[in-house]
Amino acid sequence: MADRTEIVIHPVSPRGGRKVTAHVLGVAADLGRAFTPTDVSELLRRAGLEAVDLSEDGPIRWEGGGPEVWTSDICRAG
């Protein structure tokens, strides 16, 4: 079985920020909450996942919008 790491950036929370998780060998690890792409890079670096392409063409699954989305519709409406 190949070691396949999946990184997920979840939709923006109503409280702000996006949860970042890594799924490795069937285990999900919560890496923290990011408020910018720089935060995502730092969380990944701390997890030993350096030099990850943050673009939508990279290995990250961006849910609720790509790397340019950091506020939710709820936050913008308020």
Side-chain angles (χ1 to χ4, degrees):
M1 180 174 172
D3 178 11
R4 184 168 178 275
T5 300
E6 178 183 34
I7 301 162
V8 180
I9 312 300
H10 298 269
V12 177
S13 163
R15 297 180 321 223
R18 299 176 77 163
K19 181 178 173 181
V20 179
T21 57
H23 302 268
V24 182
L25 298 174
V27 177
D30 183 357
L31 302 182
R33 185 168 303 278
F35 293 87
T36 66
T38 302
D39 292 346
V40 173
S41 293
E42 178 61 14
L43 291 171
L44 295 176
R45 185 192 68 75
R46 291 179 186 178
L49 302 166
E50 297 185 45
V52 174
D53 179 6
L54 298 184
S55 75
E56 290 184 86
D57 296 328
I60 295 176
R61 186 173 82 219
W62 293 88
E63 297 180 343
E68 71 285 350
V69 177
W70 294 97
T71 58
S72 70
D73 290 335
I74 295 170
C75 294
R76 285 185 283 236

